Each structure stands twice: as C-alpha cells, then as structure tokens.
Amino acid sequence: MTRVVSLFLPTWSTDRVRRKAGDAAPPAEAPLALIGRDGRKQVVLAVDAAAQAAGVRVGMAATKARVLVAGLIVQDHDAAADAGALDRLAVWMLQRYTPIVAADAPDGIVIDSTGADHLHGGEEAMLTGLIGRLAASGVRAHGAIADTWGAAHALARYAANPTIIVPPGHGAAPIARLPLAALRLPSDMVAGLRVLGFERVGDLLAQPRAPLTLRFGPQLGRRIDQALGTLSEPIEPIRDEELIVVRRAFAEPIGAPETIARYIGKLVIMLCEELETKGLGAKRLDLICHRVDNRAQAVRVGTALPVRDVKRLTRLLTDKIETIEPGFGIEILTLTATLAEPLAAKQTVTSLIDDDVPDVSDLVDILINRVGERCLYRATPVATDVPERSVRHIPPMAPETGATWPGHWPRPSRLLPSPELIETVALLPDHPPVSFTWRGIRRRVRRADGPERVFGEWWLRDAELEAVRDYFRVEDDAGERYWIYRAGDGENTATGSHRWFLHGVFG
C-alpha cells in the first residue's frame, strides 16, 4: 500500500523573505504582503499570518491592502526565488527522509513515504518531527499522510491542524467533506461547479461522471480518480545537479529477483566509477524501480562511513530485493548517491609492518539497514556536571573525541533514565537519610558518604540559576548501595524543593 506525505507551507513566500533578510527582517508581528502584477494592476500574491489576520487576501489590489492595514510591509514577490528555495528544501528532505520527494509548487512538498516511515519512528513521529524541524527553521507547515497524492494534498490544505493521518485503505470518506478546490481544479472550473450547486467533493462523487465530463472536460474526472487512487499519479523525484545518478532502461520489462540483482550489480559498478572520478564515497543510496503501471518503488540503504566498494554496496541493495514488488514489470532502474562524502585513498594494511585493526563498519552497515539508524549508536561523554546530561548518543562509527568521564568522584554503574522520587527520614541540612522508601520498599541506611554538591547549569537555563543538588552514596542493611540526592541546599527553598530522589545504583 502506497503512503504519501503532503506538506503545505501556507506562508512559504513570506517566510523565505524573512529568512533571507536575517536580522534586517521586519518583526514577526508586523504584517507582510508580497505583491506582483496581474495585467496592468498590482495585486497581493502572498501574505503572512499577521497580514491574513488583518484582512489582507491573495488577489486583493495592492492599494486596497495598504489602505486596509496600517503599517503593512509590502515587498515585491519573486516567484523564481520561491521555486528555487522550494526545490532546495525538497533536496534536503530527499537526503534525510525518503528516496522519492518532489516540490509541489507553489507552496508544498510531496513525499512517497512507503516503507520508510519505520526508520523515523512511524508515520506520526516522522510527520510531527518534520513539521517541528521546519518550524525551528522559521517555516510554518501543515502535513497530511494518505494513500494518494491527491488525497494527501487536499487534507494538508483543508483539514490538517497542523497534521492529519488517515489510515490505509481510507477510500473517499476523508475528502468527501472538503471544498471543491481541494481537488486541485482550476479556479474557473470551481466557480462553474458552484454555479451548478456543487460545494463539496462528496457532491461530485454522488453524480454520474458522463455529464460532468461533457461539460467540464476530462480534467475533473482525472483529479477525482487520482484522489481516490483509481488512476495512478507518479511522483517524479527531484534531482539536484550535484547528485550522482546512473540509470538503466529496459526494452522488455524485468521482474525476476535474479534479473533485478544482476542489473543492480551493473548499476553499482557504474556508480562507483562516477564516485571515484570525483573522489567521493557513498553514504546513502536510493534505488528507484519505475514499473510499467506508472508506479515507482524505492529502496534506500545507508552506510556508516563513505564507501565505494562494489561488492559491499551491491550486497546491501540486493538484501532489499524481497521488498520490491515488480508488478507487471520494471522498465527503468535508477540508482542515486543521495549522500556522498569525500573518500581519500588509503594504504592497504600489510601483516609485516602494520597492526591489523578489525573493520566492523561492514557489520554496522548490515545492522543499520535492518533495524534502522536510530537503533544503533554509541555513547559518548558530555562535559557537564549534571549527571543525566553527561552522556549522548552518536553514530556507531563516529570518530573518537577523546573525551572521558571525570574520575575524581565515584559514579554508579547504573544511572536511571530519570531520577525517581523517594520518601526519606533525614535531618536537614547536611545529614544523609536514616531510611528511605523506593518503589514501595523501605530501606534502612547503614552507611552513607556525602554530600557532593552539584550546581545547576545557569548559563543554559534561567531556572537553574540557584538550583542545587546534594548527592549521597548510601548502603542499606542488605549491602546494596544507592546514589540519592536532595533537591536544594536544605535551607533555602529557592535552591530546590528539598525532596529526595534516587538517581542510580552501584553494582
């Protein structure tokens, strides 16, 4: 089942103007409108959220907009710059999310996420994360996931707030209540349908197709069929000029797994030759299979380090052949190095003068492509005194930073993901607990050492300006040792709540 993501960027043009202006950009609360020419008169072509809230609409005369909103900032609209920026955004998503991404001009992106959402935590996590990353970059977006491009496009623009995900096999129900414009019809056709009394998509679905086609032409029926999935609408993935792409077309469609594997091997050889001429190694490969039924299937594999070894890359791709459904046959195979990095020549290790260092990158590549990048990582130290922030995850083959955890204070072998509240009997301000209750079990403290005072990172968060923790190592009657702390210095309530927490267990 195909799954399509549609992203709607309602203020794409104005967002781009603000990002380009940088520090010189108008304040976010100042209404901004972009104008251009429609024949001999100037009209509004794009508005931001503030201008829209003030009553400015696309298509309004520029003079009327200036009179309507005091302090309206007006700039010229650059459609070519908008399109170029949208293409760059599509390439960015292509390199990070799925192999099939295209610009949905003038204010959207369309993504074929079939078989790729699990690599990002599922459809909901992928879409929410994508919307969040765009928002962090100053781009407002709405998103929808559906079975077809037409349905996802309609839902993103007329139902998402800010996201909506409809289950697979949804049919016509999700779009039936949407306005006619959701079908991507020309404005004059929408106006003509409204004259006849049609207001919603569901009104059209309930009518015989022939009279509508006779009056409005085949485009109306084609858009309805594309939205319902009865007519395929392929997404032609965007390709940056800097990407290395090799392609093979077939006079007769192929479909047997062994045939697909043989031609994958030939494409990899061609790709590695191109990579070698540019001194690059591939870190992400996208294989797109264009079927005779006008549908495309994509396979993405990644590597931990830049690679241009033919056998290694071929094995990674052929391991994914079982996920390819050739249907009635594949007529074109395209292989793209979506992500490539410099790869310098390296001296071969000899057993006479060099130590043979085991290379586990091949194993890492196999595991990454089976379980996903998020499931494979290494832990590295972080320079901080706050224990729960002292470690972060890095890629498994990332170079060593040389950082180590400080050894002047003992730390537990098992640090809890987050401190857990405990009940204690303790004498403030400097004494350890006499006993504490953790997870319903009361433990009497036999020995204790501390306190070790840890201050908050006030330069990162204002809430930690006066925050203090006093840590103790305690041992109970059973000989088990724990790492507990009191939030606050035991005297001033501004330094913490004075509640006790268990943060780790010593082995």
Side-chain angles (χ1 to χ4, degrees), residues 329-351:
I330 297 170
E331 57 183 358
I332 301 174
L333 282 178
T334 303
L335 183 62
T336 306
T338 312
L339 190 61
E341 295 181 359
L343 179 62
K346 186 171 61 174
Q347 177 70 39
T348 303
V349 176
T350 66
S351 59

Side-chain angles (χ1 to χ4, degrees), residues 175-190:
I175 64 171
R177 295 181 176 272
L178 301 183
L180 298 177
L183 290 175
R184 297 175 291 169
L185 299 173
S187 57
D188 57 343
M189 187 181 295
V190 172

Side-chain angles (χ1 to χ4, degrees), residues 384-442:
T384 177
D385 288 332
V386 181
E388 60 266 29
R389 301 175 192 161
S390 63
V391 63
R392 65 182 176 92
H393 296 164
I394 61 173
M397 297 302 296
E400 294 289 347
T401 62
T404 59
W405 283 282
H408 56 280
W409 287 102
R411 291 292 182 262
S413 56
R414 179 192 171 196
L415 192 69
L416 300 183
S418 59
E420 297 185 10
L421 184 66
I422 58 177
E423 297 178 3
T424 63
V425 176
L427 181 64
L428 298 180
D430 297 325
H431 292 272
V434 177
S435 65
F436 66 92
T437 303
W438 176 50
R439 296 181 179 178
I441 302 176
R442 184 173 181 270

Side-chain angles (χ1 to χ4, degrees), residues 122-139:
E123 289 184 341
E124 184 177 356
M126 180 184 69
L127 185 58
T128 303
L130 184 52
I131 297 290
R133 294 188 72 172
L134 290 174
S137 301
V139 179

Side-chain angles (χ1 to χ4, degrees), residues 155-166:
L155 292 167
R157 284 154 178 77
Y158 296 95
N161 186 27
T163 63
I164 183 172
I165 301 174
V166 293

Side-chain angles (χ1 to χ4, degrees), residues 181-365:
L183 290 175
R184 297 175 291 169
L185 299 173
S187 57
D188 57 343
M189 187 181 295
V190 172
L193 288 167
R194 285 176 177 167
V195 170
L196 296 178
F198 297 103
E199 294 292 338
R200 304 289 174 183
V201 175
D203 299 338
L204 293 177
L205 299 178
Q207 298 297 318
R209 184 72 58 87
L212 293 173
T213 303
L214 183 63
R215 178 156 186 169
F216 296 100
Q219 184 179 10
L220 176 59
R222 183 169 62 251
R223 287 303 193 191
I224 293 174
D225 291 338
Q226 288 172 343
L228 299 181
T230 54
L231 181 65
S232 65
E233 186 178 11
I235 300 172
E236 186 63 31
I238 191 168
R239 285 293 176 258
D240 187 71
E241 294 180 358
E242 297 181 358
L243 297 180
I244 300 175
V245 184
V246 293
R247 183 175 179 271
R248 181 67 181 261
F250 306 101
E252 292 292 334
I254 64 173
E258 57 272 14
T259 307
I260 298 174
R262 183 168 69 253
Y263 283 104
I264 286 176
K266 293 181 179 181
L267 288 175
V268 171
I269 292 174
M270 296 167 57
L271 185 75
C272 288
E273 290 174 353
E274 293 288 336
L275 290 169
E276 188 171 5
T277 59
K278 296 186 177 182
L280 300 174
K283 287 199 67 177
R284 185 168 296 142
L285 295 181
D286 290 340
L287 176 70
I288 301 180
C289 309
H290 301 270
R291 306 191 327 189
V292 295
D293 59 357
N294 210 19
R295 297 182 184 273
Q297 283 202 316
V299 171
R300 167 166 284 186
V301 297
T303 60
L305 299 173
V307 175
R308 59 169 179 258
D309 183 284
V310 172
K311 291 184 178 179
R312 185 165 166 181
L313 295 176
T314 301
R315 183 176 69 250
L316 292 176
L317 287 168
T318 53
D319 284 346
K320 298 281 189 176
I321 286 181
E322 61 183 15
T323 65
I324 299 175
E325 297 180 6
F328 294 107
I330 297 170
E331 57 183 358
I332 301 174
L333 282 178
T334 303
L335 183 62
T336 306
T338 312
L339 190 61
E341 295 181 359
L343 179 62
K346 186 171 61 174
Q347 177 70 39
T348 303
V349 176
T350 66
S351 59
L352 296 178
I353 58 176
D354 298 316
D355 294 330
D356 188 8
V357 179
D359 183 8
V360 298
S361 61
D362 196 5
L363 174 61
V364 170
D365 292 344

Side-chain angles (χ1 to χ4, degrees), residues 418-483:
S418 59
E420 297 185 10
L421 184 66
I422 58 177
E423 297 178 3
T424 63
V425 176
L427 181 64
L428 298 180
D430 297 325
H431 292 272
V434 177
S435 65
F436 66 92
T437 303
W438 176 50
R439 296 181 179 178
I441 302 176
R442 184 173 181 270
R443 295 170 172 84
R444 182 176 297 276
V445 175
R446 189 170 64 178
R447 296 187 182 89
D449 184 21
E452 172 195 349
R453 179 155 292 182
V454 174
F455 293 91
E457 296 179 330
W458 51 266
W459 57 93
L460 297 179
R461 298 175 58 192
D462 292 340
E464 299 182 15
L465 187 62
E466 298 183 62
V468 169
R469 292 181 185 177
D470 282 342
Y471 278 88
F472 293 85
R473 286 182 296 152
V474 300
E475 180 180 325
D476 65 7
D477 290 335
E480 296 178 345
R481 294 182 297 160
Y482 304 92
W483 204 39

